Amino acid sequence: MSTVFASVSVSLDGFVAGPDAGPRNPLGDGGSKMHRWVFDLEAWRERQGVESGERIRDNEIVKEEFDRAGAYVMGRRMFDEGEVAWADPPPFRAPVFVLTHNSREPWGRKGGTTFEFVTDGPVSAVEQAREAADGKDVRVSGGAAAVRQRLEAGLLDELEVHIAPVVLGAGTRLFDGPLAGGSRLEPDRVVDSPAVTHVRYRVLR
Amino acid sequence: MSTVFASVSVSLDGFVAGPDAGPRNPLGDGGSKMHRWVFDLEAWRERQGVESGERIRDNEIVKEEFDRAGAYVMGRRMFDEGEVAWADPPPFRAPVFVLTHNSREPWGRKGGTTFEFVTDGPVSAVEQAREAADGKDVRVSGGAAAVRQRLEAGLLDELEVHIAPVVLGAGTRLFDGPLAGGSRLEPDRVVDSPAVTHVRYRVLR
């Protein structure tokens, strides 16, 4: 059975993006601070079409996340914000099920990424992604609200947070109130580096 | 030279205490969730005058924090909230320098704890604590505002956060805005257990 996982970079004070995030500013003001650890890694750069990069421990984490994901579920906000930024070929190389209220034809991109637009809700999106993943895992991508809602709906098996050693002070929080739905988290694996602390939680229901 | 360190239990969403913290409710509503990992540990229980406790990996962290602290600097709020709760002998067994605006005679307690009330500011409190620590380290205790202010003032060399796998949703945050003063954090040591993730940051100035 596929594992449904999410993986999010956060600041030490819990922000996933800085203030004023939007299509022209997908990480928000100062938000690149949470993501800086990833930009020079080989596994990340290879997905951006850039050859050569660092092969440090953090790289194994990023490579693992890409390798295991056979399909993605994405919130509309992240799609809207990323759509402009993701040049061809986009980094996913797999079907991406975008949750939206507006029906739209599938959008095939170069390199194996196809955006499919799902209008009948997250449970259906996760089911469709499971099927498309064909035995691999399903990654729930952001935004923060999308990850939180899948977690609250009991659709998430694993949540990995990459805690960057920065205090951002303002922006979009991963958690912005009590967690509905009664899911609990249990630390499952911790990998540390000088740049970031990777904590993977198992979701218990 | 003594290291000045702080050590704080936080929820995954960054809270150090739940809502309505006060003298009769020092951890706030639900705040014990962030501290539960510590209550059964031998090193903690021994300081509360209770014999026997768990000697798991988390215990070594707590023992280390007690052993290295030759003196404490404490905010007035934590003192006010703890004063009622700390039975004789209090767990510190060392001089505790309490920052306050109201001068008060030193208060010697059983077991080696003496509360000294400092009215001339945090720099003086840290200096006095260094001297009193006699080669051991100085621990900056909470509340959150006290730790944050010492960090912003460049008085802290190390910050250890014990990240409990809970989403609290409301209460007192360790960080509640941008960090003044330009200090940066660098992960220095990570120790994990099934109950909590201990991340120690070096403070770079």
Side-chain angles (χ1 to χ4, degrees):
Chain A
M1 182 81 166
S2 301
T3 297
V4 181
F5 74 100
S7 162
V8 185
S9 288
V10 296
S11 63
L12 181 55
D13 53 345
F15 293 100
V16 299
D20 295 321
R24 286 158 190 277
N25 186 18
L27 303 179
D29 296 346
S32 64
K33 288 178 193 166
M34 282 89 81
H35 299 269
R36 192 162 291 153
W37 66 274
V38 88
F39 296 145
D40 292 329
L41 302 177
E42 185 191 61
W44 174 261
R45 290 165 69 86
E46 194 263 328
R47 290 278 174 150
Q48 315 301 317
V50 183
E51 279 184 44
S52 84
E54 290 179 356
R55 292 188 191 180
I56 55 179
R57 211 167 175 197
D58 299 325
N59 189 58
E60 292 163 34
I61 300 285
V62 172
K63 185 172 183 331
E64 177 189 69
E65 287 175 356
F66 278 126
D67 288 349
R68 66 189 287 207
Y72 292 76
V73 173
M74 188 179 286
R76 192 196 49 80
R77 176 166 292 191
M78 179 169 172
F79 175 76
D80 285 349
E81 292 178 358
E83 192 175 3
V84 180
W86 296 316
D88 246 339
F92 307 102
R93 302 186 190 166
V96 179
F97 294 87
V98 181
L99 280 154
T100 175
H101 293 295
N102 304 311
S103 160
R104 179 173 159 181
E105 287 297 299
W107 184 29
R109 302 282 304 271
K110 286 186 183 151
T113 299
T114 303
F115 293 104
E116 311 254 5
F117 301 88
V118 180
T119 55
D120 56 349
V123 174
S124 166
V126 170
E127 269 172 21
Q128 291 182 56
R130 266 191 212 281
E131 196 136 326
D134 197 22
K136 293 179 90 175
D137 293 331
V138 172
R139 178 167 176 175
V140 170
S141 289
V147 170
R148 208 164 52 226
Q149 285 159 15
R150 302 307 86 79
L151 177 59
E152 292 182 335
L155 294 170
L156 217 56
D157 302 310
E158 261 180 40
L159 172 65
E160 183 154 28
V161 293
H162 311 287
I163 306 173
V166 295
V167 176
L168 201 69
T172 307
R173 293 186 189 280
L174 176 55
F175 299 109
D176 67 350
L179 209 53
S183 288
R184 288 180 303 113
L185 302 173
E186 186 178 78
D188 178 35
R189 184 188 68 176
V190 178
V191 176
D192 65 295
S193 84
V196 62
T197 308
H198 312 276
V199 187
R200 193 173 70 190
Y201 295 93
R202 200 180 297 119
V203 181
L204 308 177
R205 290 187 279 269
Chain B
M1 182 82 165
S2 301
T3 296
V4 181
F5 73 102
S7 162
V8 185
S9 288
V10 297
S11 63
L12 181 54
D13 53 345
F15 293 100
V16 299
D20 295 321
R24 285 158 190 278
N25 186 17
L27 303 178
D29 296 346
S32 64
K33 289 178 190 165
M34 280 91 80
H35 299 267
R36 191 163 291 153
W37 65 275
V38 89
F39 296 145
D40 292 330
L41 302 177
E42 184 190 61
W44 174 260
R45 291 165 69 86
E46 194 263 329
R47 290 278 174 150
Q48 317 301 316
V50 183
E51 280 184 42
S52 83
E54 290 178 356
R55 292 188 191 182
I56 55 180
R57 211 167 176 197
D58 299 324
N59 189 58
E60 292 163 34
I61 300 286
V62 172
K63 185 172 183 331
E64 176 189 71
E65 287 175 357
F66 278 126
D67 288 349
R68 65 190 285 207
Y72 293 77
V73 173
M74 187 178 287
R76 192 197 49 80
R77 176 166 293 190
M78 180 169 170
F79 175 76
D80 286 348
E81 291 177 0
E83 192 175 3
V84 180
W86 296 316
D88 246 340
F92 308 102
R93 302 186 190 165
V96 179
F97 294 87
V98 180
L99 280 154
T100 176
H101 293 295
N102 304 311
S103 159
R104 179 171 159 181
E105 286 298 300
W107 183 28
R109 301 281 305 269
K110 286 187 183 151
T113 299
T114 303
F115 293 105
E116 310 254 6
F117 301 88
V118 179
T119 54
D120 56 349
V123 173
S124 166
V126 170
E127 268 172 22
Q128 290 182 58
R130 267 190 211 280
E131 196 137 326
D134 197 23
K136 294 180 90 176
D137 292 333
V138 172
R139 177 166 176 176
V140 170
S141 289
V147 170
R148 208 164 52 227
Q149 285 159 14
R150 301 307 86 78
L151 177 58
E152 293 183 333
L155 293 171
L156 217 56
D157 302 310
E158 261 181 39
L159 171 66
E160 182 155 29
V161 293
H162 311 286
I163 305 173
V166 296
V167 176
L168 201 68
T172 307
R173 294 185 189 280
L174 176 54
F175 299 109
D176 68 349
L179 209 54
S183 288
R184 289 180 304 113
L185 302 172
E186 186 177 78
D188 178 35
R189 184 187 70 175
V190 177
V191 176
D192 65 296
S193 84
V196 63
T197 308
H198 312 276
V199 188
R200 192 173 71 190
Y201 295 94
R202 199 180 297 118
V203 182
L204 307 177
R205 290 188 279 268

